[in-house]
Amino acid sequence: MNRAFSRKKDKTWMHTPEALSKHYIPYNAKFLGSTEVEQPKGTEVVRDAVRKLKFARHIKKSEGQKIPKVELQISIYGVKILEPKTKEVQHNCQLHRISFCADDKTDKRIFTFICKDSESNKHLCYVFDSEKCAEEITLTIGQAFDLAYRKFLESGGKDVETRKQIAGLQKRIQDLETENMELKNKVQDLENQLRITQVSTPPAGSVTPKSPSTDIFDMIPFSPVSHQSSIPTHNGMQPPPVPSRSNEIKRDLFGAEPFDPFNCGAGDFPPDIQSKLDEMQEGFKMGLTLEGTVFCLDPLDSRC
């Protein structure tokens, strides 16, 4: 699909771009609930979800429970579901995770959308009962999706491949710095071995090695030469060189590995800007389908 979204019939958007970009459009509705679905799109998928949630609400209504009221705030940043009085956010559905949106063409009240959960990655179908404005809410979500997709392309979307190239260059620089550090450590090891050889080898013609002089406390004076120089040789063999630490993982003073967003494999990518852009690109590429359908197929479903 080339376009960011598809719909059965083209209709004029209901709000100005500024209203959805700088602010949000509020709607009041009753929240029938959400349920997991197997597919991200499809009329039959949402129809089964609506039937399931309606049946559950009929049972709760017979027990004296009322359908909770919510406030929807729609903008280019997503669809927020809030408690009307406290304004507590119950759900925050980002637009690039919404793949399907439909409204009931019979009574103009029921509308639903499918959103991929950010934590479980499961597809959830949210169902609402509005006061004769289901189609308007559906179109508003579609307009917000369209604006968000355009904004994504204008800002970060076009830079996804460029960011990947930068990440590759950063990785190359890191590899070169590691290689340079390993060479420095090898040079240091050779210098240490040279110092040990110079200190441990006795002068020509000497039979007994001269004991090191001591201070008034019978202590060997401190020498800036490596401590390896004071270790005597055994059977004419030099002590083993100091092992190189170049292969050890560098850690900070808290023992943790320093975070480098540009030095991560594909399997362990942290939740940074790059992975967020990839996720948004995938979501917008799938697109949003707007569709009008019939949910109330029998008298039992005619009222919630």
Side-chain angles (χ1 to χ4, degrees):
M1 183 183 301
N2 295 327
R3 297 198 302 172
F5 64 94
S6 65
R7 47 187 172 163
K8 292 295 183 181
K9 295 181 180 180
D10 291 334
K11 296 182 180 181
T12 304
W13 293 132
M14 309 197 63
H15 307 283
T16 63
E18 291 75 15
L20 288 166
S21 300
K22 299 181 180 179
H23 307 283
Y24 60 84
I25 306 299
Y27 290 99
N28 293 320
K30 294 179 180 180
F31 186 31
L32 274 67
S34 62
T35 183
E36 182 181 353
V37 293
E38 296 296 331
Q39 300 295 329
K41 296 176 181 288
T43 302
E44 292 300 325
V45 175
V46 296
R47 183 175 296 169
D48 292 341
V50 170
R51 280 182 172 274
K52 178 181 178 180
L53 292 173
K54 275 191 171 185
F55 181 75
R57 281 299 169 188
H58 278 299
I59 295 177
K60 292 184 178 180
K61 185 177 181 180
S62 65
E63 297 174 350
Q65 299 184 25
K66 295 182 178 180
I67 302 177
K69 295 181 180 180
V70 295
E71 177 183 332
L72 299 176
Q73 295 181 357
I74 304 174
S75 69
I76 62 171
Y77 301 102
V79 179
K80 289 184 179 181
I81 305 173
L82 303 88
E83 204 286 325
K85 295 182 180 180
T86 63
K87 301 299 181 182
E88 178 183 359
V89 179
Q90 299 176 351
H91 303 277
N92 188 9
C93 303
Q94 296 174 310
L95 291 174
H96 67 275
R97 291 181 171 271
I98 300 178
S99 54
F100 192 84
C101 190
D103 57 272
D104 193 338
K105 295 305 180 185
T106 56
D107 62 6
K108 309 294 184 180
R109 297 172 56 219
I110 302 297
F111 71 95
T112 177
F113 62 82
I114 298 177
C115 180
K116 188 176 182 181
D117 185 69
S118 59
E119 296 182 358
S120 64
N121 281 331
K122 296 179 179 179
H123 297 287
L124 301 178
C125 182
Y126 295 80
V127 181
F128 303 87
D129 179 3
S130 67
E131 292 295 334
K132 305 296 182 180
C133 57
E135 182 179 10
E136 179 181 341
I137 296 176
T138 300
L139 290 175
T140 301
I141 294 176
Q143 182 182 6
F145 187 97
D146 182 51
L147 292 172
Y149 178 63
R150 295 175 186 273
K151 185 177 180 64
F152 172 76
L153 292 179
E154 293 172 358
S155 57
K158 294 181 180 179
D159 297 333
V160 171
E161 294 301 325
T162 303
R163 290 174 183 269
K164 290 182 179 179
Q165 295 178 3
I166 294 176
L169 293 176
Q170 292 284 353
K171 180 63 167 60
R172 178 58 180 163
I173 293 174
Q174 183 69 25
D175 292 340
L176 292 175
E177 290 179 349
T178 302
E179 183 179 353
N180 185 38
M181 183 60 66
E182 292 177 353
L183 293 175
K184 286 184 178 180
N185 289 333
K186 289 181 180 179
V187 172
Q188 184 66 39
D189 291 341
L190 292 175
E191 291 179 352
N192 291 338
Q193 294 181 26
L194 181 61
R195 291 194 186 99
I196 293 172
T197 302
Q198 292 175 347
V199 174
S200 301
T201 303
S206 175
V207 178
T208 304
K210 184 178 179 180
S211 300
S213 59
T214 59
D215 57 16
I216 57 175
F217 299 103
D218 199 27
M219 299 291 291
I220 299 177
F222 169 76
S223 172
V225 182
S226 172
H227 69 280
Q228 290 286 346
S229 62
S230 62
I231 301 176
T233 60
H234 298 279
N235 298 327
M237 299 295 293
Q238 297 294 334
V242 179
S244 173
R245 298 175 57 87
S246 59
N247 293 330
E248 295 183 8
I249 299 177
K250 298 180 181 179
R251 300 179 182 274
D252 57 19
L253 73 166
F254 298 104
E257 298 180 22
F259 171 71
D260 185 359
F262 296 104
N263 189 18
C264 300
D268 57 354
F269 219 112
D272 58 350
I273 297 177
Q274 181 61 48
S275 60
K276 186 67 175 178
L277 283 172
D278 292 340
E279 175 195 324
M280 294 180 68
Q281 185 183 45
E282 180 182 356
F284 282 125
K285 185 178 180 180
M286 176 181 290
L288 171 64
T289 301
L290 302 183
E291 189 168 296
T293 186
V294 177
F295 296 131
C296 301
L297 301 180
D298 52 56
L300 178 63
D301 287 336
S302 62
R303 305 295 294 179
C304 294

